[in-house]
Amino acid sequence: MPYPEVMAESVKKVEATRERRLRETFPRLTPQEKKALLESYHPDYRSETFRPLAVGPNAGQKVPNELADLLEAFSRIDPDTFDLSRVDYETDVLIIGGGGAGTAAALTAQEAGTRVLIATKLRWGDANTIMAQGGIQAADKPNDSPVRHYLDVMGGGGFVNIPQLVWALVLDAPLVIRWLEQLGVMFDKEPDGTMITVHGGGTSRRRMHSCRDYTGMEIMRTLRDEARNRGIQALEFRPAVELLLDDAGNCVGAILYDLETEEYLVVRAKSVVLATGGMGRLHVQGFPTTNHYGATADGLVIAYRAGAEMIFMDTVQYHPTGAAFPEQILGQLVTEKVRGLGAHLVNCDGERFIYELETRDAVSAAIIRECTTVGKGVVTPTGMVGVWLDSPMIDLLRGEGTIRKALPAMVRQYERFGIDITKEPILVYPTQHYQNGGIVMKEDSSTSIPGLFVAGEVSGGVHGRNRLMGNSLLDILVFGRRAGVSAAQWAKAATLGTPTLRHVKEYHEQLIRAGINTDRISPLVLPDYTAPHTRIRRLGGVPVG
Amino acid sequence: MSVAIQREVEQVDVFIMGKRYQVPKGLTILKALEYAGYRLVRGVGCRAGFCGACATVYRKEGDFRLRVGLACQTVIEDRMYLTQIPFYPAVKKTYDIEQLRPDADTILRLYPEVTRCLQCNTCRKVCPQDLDVMRYIAAAARGDIAKAADLSFDCLQCGLCTSRCPAEISHYNVATLARRLYGRHLAPPAPHLTARIRELTEGQFDKEVAQMRALSPDQLQTLYAERDIEPEELVPVSKKDED
Ligand SMILES: Cc1cc2nc3c(=O)[nH]c(=O)nc-3n(C[C@H](O)[C@H](O)[C@H](O)COP(=O)(O)OP(=O)(O)OC[C@H]3O[C@@H](n4cnc5c(N)ncnc54)[C@H](O)[C@@H]3O)c2cc1C
Ligand code: FES
């Protein structure tokens, strides 16, 4: 038994109820029950953790405090003295962010006949995309239809999604899957080519396509390989820290910061695609996160400063099943596919407390309720609390060996720490996972700033207030491809004005007028995980926040 | 979410590029580097065992063996000597996947060095994903693309194999080629997808889409609440059994 004694006792109870649970079904929530559950337990409803923004297009609207801190902060650049006349790179379409959305945009922009350049923070592909495990949705089976898919997306998002974006998402979906197939992505298939599809939370048809549980990795490495074959250049370790607008207000490039040489570099472009992904590393409300190291909301910060409007930034997606044990992998994702394949969520007594495939917000809220008010969580030796995800159920339901074949990444992840998920349940607790909202865009990926296009997690509106599993990988490809085409079209017609940082100067002035007196600078670029004592010593012993 | 439990954390010694630091026991190598004060830019990405950015080489005191692992997935031990391999140059050929044939010729033309394999099996021993790297290279070299694709599927492209190979093969790039060849040329395209795309281009859903667009928010919500859910089919998730 890999679990310490306090936890092992509870595991026995989980084992004891398996037989019974195999036969019983658990009722789904009624809309009223779901609403009540969310209002009482979902972290989005803890109003003290949000605050209204003081300046900018969304002034007066609430966002998480951690994000507000970055939006109400000053640029790293002094707009009065920075020299924009020395241009380091010149291109037609600048793509900021080398994840799935950015790479897809690069491919279509190049196909449309423009020169493209990618600038990215870490290595090309070090992104949330490469971490996606579970799968990608598309309504391509005979019993399914884009209209059903639409209904599921709207229902999942709370019916506030921007309908035109959702239609683009579901109607492009089969085309995106075919595109991936033709690029050589190895989907899980039957010998005749039929896709093996399963459910995800909130789906009414089994439409989750997968590449084992390395779906994002398989997509990312294929897109990147294709882009390399086509000679597309990526500037790695050079994140964008400010956008450039010309005198007419068009977006005409960006300032990059070389993380190694610490130089600022100027890129002039005719149009810009912003595809910087999400903000998990802000650790909203202190939650751990599933996101990659560079998910720090930079794109939101620089676009907001340039005047782009955001939507649904008052809601954050917590993935219900983040690892709560062992400590070393705290917050890391346990894919929803585990539940999709039939694993139960059970409390310390081995009892189910929620239908596992409710939408993520509801499952997260139910777990938090179980661990707080109900008091049936399992406490670990380091004081974390969680509930069991009873993975061995999968083999009981679907036959011995299923787990190893369908979930190799999960099996390996836990084996590294001595836990065999085919035999033992795993302890989980919600973890910060996805930025539901973002920069408002239209169906062609354009924003309120001419020449600026967005795609992927940094954008908002498609998923309403809650994204369903498998719709983000889809979203980044649907809108990444559209953004590339739109940005190329724009670039072909654009005439370049003189680039300026006037918007930064004006934003600074607004901050000062709003009485924001702070030494905070943003974007964050990378979180600092060094031990507090080293940070203090770095500054010669002065304690810092 | 955490219940405060005060406890003395035992400290261990680690040597980062030769310098000694004391860090709490139980950390991963990645977190130990950070604890010691290193603000990482290189050698870190997903922090979860998916991106392959954090390849690490280490030795334990008193042991002649050179060990490797992913810094984000390996727990430190007392008196470990650590360094990272944030970048390792590899050969990546460019090609038009459409034009290639899924056979040995293609592999040998683009990556002829696969024939230099000495069968030392070092690649397999160092693979943090425990993949049978040597066997997938052999499969690729003899044109068994399906096997090479399958055996290499879980590759994170961390490059440890490439860093240690005496025959100087860039295994993970050969593997990418094999998988793309398989996905593009050997796996049959999904027939239902072809059918759906035809239906879409013929405008078969236009009417339904228009109807749905015309619904009031209330009607949409009712339709959602009443929609039928396809039952979960409880058959094993099939996948070709290799060996
Ligand atoms: C663990 C995990 C599992 C997931 N599983 C699924 C799933 O099964 N199905 C699904 O549909 N979705 C899933 N998601 C969500 C989905 O993977 C992401 O939302 C999606 O991949 C985001 O793609 P993106 O291209 O918008 O952003 P990313 O893939 O994160 O790429 C953004 C890129 O921009 C770079 N960047 C950031 N800031 C800057 C800057 N200032 N300048 C330049 N570059 C910058 C980043 O380094 C990164 O390379 C999962 C997410 C995670 C974290
Ligand atoms: S940081 Fe991505 S594998 Fe370790």
Side-chain angles (χ1 to χ4, degrees):
Chain A
M1 171 63 56
Y3 290 110
E5 210 174 313
V6 272
M7 298 170 72
E9 274 168 39
S10 175
V11 172
K12 290 209 189 85
K13 293 185 190 165
V14 174
E15 286 166 352
T17 56
R18 248 176 226 154
E19 224 11 63
R20 172 162 57 76
R21 282 186 282 119
L22 267 175
R23 294 187 308 268
E24 89 194 356
T25 54
F26 201 88
R28 289 170 39 214
L29 295 171
T30 64
Q32 295 76 18
E33 283 168 344
K34 181 166 160 180
K35 187 159 176 281
L37 175 65
L38 291 177
E39 283 171 6
S40 310
Y41 294 99
H42 196 278
D44 279 356
Y45 290 87
R46 293 180 54 194
S47 57
E48 72 283 9
T49 65
F50 292 81
R51 74 168 185 261
L53 288 171
V55 298
N58 294 80
Q61 294 173 22
K62 285 184 176 177
V63 303
N65 285 328
E66 295 79 3
L67 178 61
D69 283 347
L70 295 178
L71 293 172
E72 296 174 354
F74 290 82
S75 175
R76 311 170 153 252
I77 305 280
D78 180 349
D80 287 326
T81 59
F82 193 91
D83 178 11
L84 289 172
S85 64
R86 183 189 45 79
V87 175
D88 298 281
Y89 297 94
E90 216 230 288
T91 184
D92 294 332
V93 180
L94 170 66
I95 290 161
I96 303 177
T103 309
L107 289 169
T108 58
Q110 196 201 41
E111 277 163 27
T114 50
R115 292 174 301 157
V116 300
L117 182 66
I118 298 178
T120 196
K121 186 185 296 184
L122 300 165
R123 300 180 314 171
W124 190 355
D126 287 349
N128 280 353
T129 302
I130 212 161
M131 308 179 73
Q133 304 171 20
I136 176 166
Q137 289 199 38
D140 60 9
K141 290 277 176 92
N143 70 348
D144 199 359
S145 85
V147 181
R148 279 197 152 269
H149 192 177
Y150 177 86
L151 197 57
D152 287 347
V153 178
M154 292 299 288
F159 301 99
V160 292
N161 321 44
I162 299 174
Q164 295 85 319
L165 298 180
V166 183
W167 283 118
L169 183 81
V170 300
L171 291 168
D172 275 11
L175 302 171
V176 158
I177 302 292
R178 179 48 41 95
W179 181 61
L180 295 175
E181 225 185 18
Q182 285 179 342
L183 287 171
V185 166
M186 278 175 63
F187 283 108
D188 295 334
K189 289 180 172 181
E190 304 287 358
D192 72 347
T194 302
M195 296 276 182
I196 297 167
T197 50
V198 298
H199 269 302
T203 55
S204 64
R205 288 291 180 269
R206 293 185 288 131
R207 70 168 79 87
M208 195 69 63
H209 303 58
S210 55
C211 313
R212 303 192 192 169
D213 53 354
Y214 287 111
T215 311
M217 187 165 89
E218 170 65 356
I219 292 174
M220 188 68 236
R221 63 193 177 191
T222 303
L223 294 181
R224 183 179 51 199
D225 189 60
E226 182 63 15
R228 285 187 174 141
N229 285 346
R230 298 195 198 170
I232 292 171
Q233 295 292 315
L235 305 173
E236 297 182 318
F237 299 94
R238 273 160 280 186
V241 292
E242 221 57 80
L243 294 173
L244 300 177
L245 301 186
D246 71 7
D247 18 20
N250 297 329
C251 189
V252 291
I255 298 177
L256 312 182
Y257 175 66
D258 188 313
L259 290 173
E260 286 161 327
T261 65
E262 302 184 5
E263 289 164 282
Y264 289 102
L265 306 165
V266 175
V267 185
R268 298 244 5 220
K270 293 174 182 156
S271 59
V272 175
V273 175
L274 192 65
T276 48
M279 61 168 203
R281 293 280 153 195
L282 302 191
H283 297 290
V284 169
Q285 298 185 29
F287 274 88
T289 183
T290 59
N291 287 193
H292 82 116
Y293 188 44
T296 51
D298 300 359
L300 289 181
V301 170
I302 62 179
Y304 193 72
R305 224 173 244 157
E309 193 191 336
M310 304 181 298
I311 187 171
F312 304 135
M313 284 312 300
D314 58 338
T315 143
V316 174
Q317 182 169 88
Y318 299 87
H319 196 290
T321 57
F325 184 90
E327 178 89 13
Q328 290 88 348
I329 58 169
L330 193 70
Q332 283 180 27
L333 182 67
V334 178
T335 173
E336 188 164 304
K337 198 169 164 198
V338 180
R339 279 173 291 138
L341 290 169
H344 287 162
L345 279 170
V346 295
N347 63 21
C348 64
D349 292 331
E351 301 296 342
R352 288 170 83 182
F353 52 89
I354 183 82
Y355 171 66
E356 285 75 9
L357 295 178
E358 296 287 352
T359 51
R360 288 183 175 166
D361 48 358
V363 179
S364 292
I367 294 174
I368 293 172
R369 179 181 63 190
E370 206 63 19
C371 292
T372 53
T373 323
V374 179
K376 293 214 169 175
V378 178
V379 181
T380 74
T382 58
M384 306 314 284
V385 59
V387 296
W388 294 112
L389 179 60
D390 196 13
S391 45
M393 291 291 294
I394 298 171
D395 277 2
L396 292 181
L397 287 164
R398 292 170 184 270
E400 192 85 14
T402 309
I403 301 173
R404 278 191 187 276
K405 276 180 202 155
L407 299 163
M410 275 333 339
V411 170
R412 185 178 283 121
Q413 183 88 288
Y414 277 89
E415 251 167 16
R416 287 187 173 123
F417 299 95
I419 296 169
D420 178 356
I421 72 166
T422 68
K423 302 268 165 2
E424 275 114 14
I426 51 195
L427 201 71
V428 295
Y429 193 83
T431 176
Q432 187 185 346
H433 187 53
Y434 185 76
Q435 175 186 304
N436 288 313
I439 308 289
V440 186
M441 65 168 173
K442 300 208 185 66
E443 296 117 279
D444 62 356
S445 280
S446 62
T447 64
S448 56
I449 300 176
L452 179 67
F453 301 83
V454 290
E457 199 167 335
V458 70
S459 72
V462 190
H463 306 291
R465 302 185 60 80
N466 176 53
R467 170 192 66 108
L468 301 182
M469 170 194 174
N471 280 339
S472 177
L473 282 180
L474 177 59
D475 155 19
I476 67 173
L477 300 175
V478 165
F479 291 99
R481 284 166 51 84
R482 284 171 176 244
V485 172
S486 304
Q489 267 167 7
W490 180 277
K492 284 180 190 168
T495 45
L496 286 189
T498 314
T500 78
L501 286 166
R502 201 181 309 142
H503 59 286
V504 176
K505 189 177 162 73
E506 280 164 12
Y507 195 82
H508 284 177
E509 285 162 6
Q510 286 177 41
L511 288 174
I512 291 163
R513 275 201 300 278
I516 292 169
N517 187 0
T518 174
D519 57 4
R520 286 192 304 266
I521 58 161
S522 64
L524 183 62
V525 183
L526 288 175
D528 186 350
Y529 291 130
T530 55
H533 67 262
T534 67
R535 269 181 261 167
I536 292 169
R537 285 186 218 158
R538 214 180 282 152
L539 295 175
V542 189
V544 285
Chain B
M1 90 188 243
S2 71
V3 184
I5 291 184
Q6 277 301 337
R7 34 169 212 156
E8 271 304 301
V9 185
E10 201 183 315
Q11 303 276 316
V12 296
D13 283 344
V14 291
F15 296 83
I16 301 171
M17 292 179 276
K19 283 157 77 184
R20 188 174 71 92
Y21 294 88
Q22 284 214 319
V23 299
K25 195 178 166 177
L27 298 182
T28 58
I29 292 175
L30 185 73
K31 288 182 179 166
L33 293 170
E34 290 176 331
Y35 183 88
Y38 289 72
R39 277 200 78 174
L40 300 179
V41 171
R42 291 271 177 174
V44 54
C46 67
R47 309 177 68 95
F50 279 86
C51 76
C54 64
T56 296
V57 183
Y58 61 92
R59 235 183 246 285
K60 296 185 208 169
E61 199 172 58
D63 185 351
F64 69 90
R65 280 190 189 82
L66 193 58
R67 296 172 195 269
V68 297
L70 298 173
C72 70
Q73 299 294 308
T74 310
V75 179
I76 49 159
E77 290 169 42
D78 195 23
R79 304 193 72 76
M80 242 185 193
Y81 288 74
L82 307 167
T83 193
Q84 287 197 289
I85 317 182
F87 177 81
Y88 202 87
V91 178
K92 150 78 187 123
K93 291 292 170 60
T94 58
Y95 40 80
D96 177 353
I97 196 76
E98 292 288 324
Q99 303 301 322
L100 299 183
R101 283 206 317 268
D103 57 21
D105 272 2
T106 297
I107 302 282
L108 296 178
R109 187 167 50 78
L110 290 167
Y111 294 107
E113 60 276 15
V114 292
T115 58
R116 301 179 64 215
C117 173
L118 306 170
Q119 308 203 1
C120 68
N121 214 17
T122 307
C123 50
R124 174 176 196 167
K125 282 187 234 153
V126 300
C127 179
Q129 293 284 86
D130 255 331
L131 302 182
D132 197 340
V133 185
M134 193 176 89
R135 205 149 66 99
Y136 83 60
I137 289 294
R142 64 170 190 271
D144 190 345
I145 303 297
K147 168 138 292 169
D150 180 63
L151 289 176
S152 71
F153 192 86
D154 297 0
C155 168
L156 306 178
Q157 311 191 313
C158 69
L160 280 166
C161 47
T162 301
S163 77
R164 303 278 279 133
C165 178
E168 287 138 334
I169 299 169
S170 296
H171 313 70
Y172 61 94
N173 285 333
V174 179
T176 302
L177 173 59
R179 282 189 307 270
R180 291 195 63 193
L181 286 172
Y182 180 84
R184 175 66 187 87
H185 298 291
L186 294 172
H192 51 90
L193 184 57
T194 311
R196 178 54 37 87
I197 291 171
R198 192 179 339 106
E199 290 164 3
L200 280 169
T201 39
E202 286 168 359
Q204 284 200 29
F205 295 102
D206 293 359
K207 212 172 122 207
E208 265 186 273
V209 171
Q211 281 168 352
M212 180 85 73
R213 278 187 203 261
L215 294 183
S216 72
D218 278 354
Q219 288 170 316
L220 196 66
Q221 295 196 25
T222 313
L223 205 60
Y224 178 76
E226 289 171 356
R227 78 205 198 290
D228 67 307
I229 311 265
E230 177 180 15
E232 191 54 80
E233 194 186 332
L234 292 180
V235 293
V237 176
S238 63
K239 185 188 146 274
K240 248 189 315 167
D241 245 343
E242 302 284 345
D243 307 316

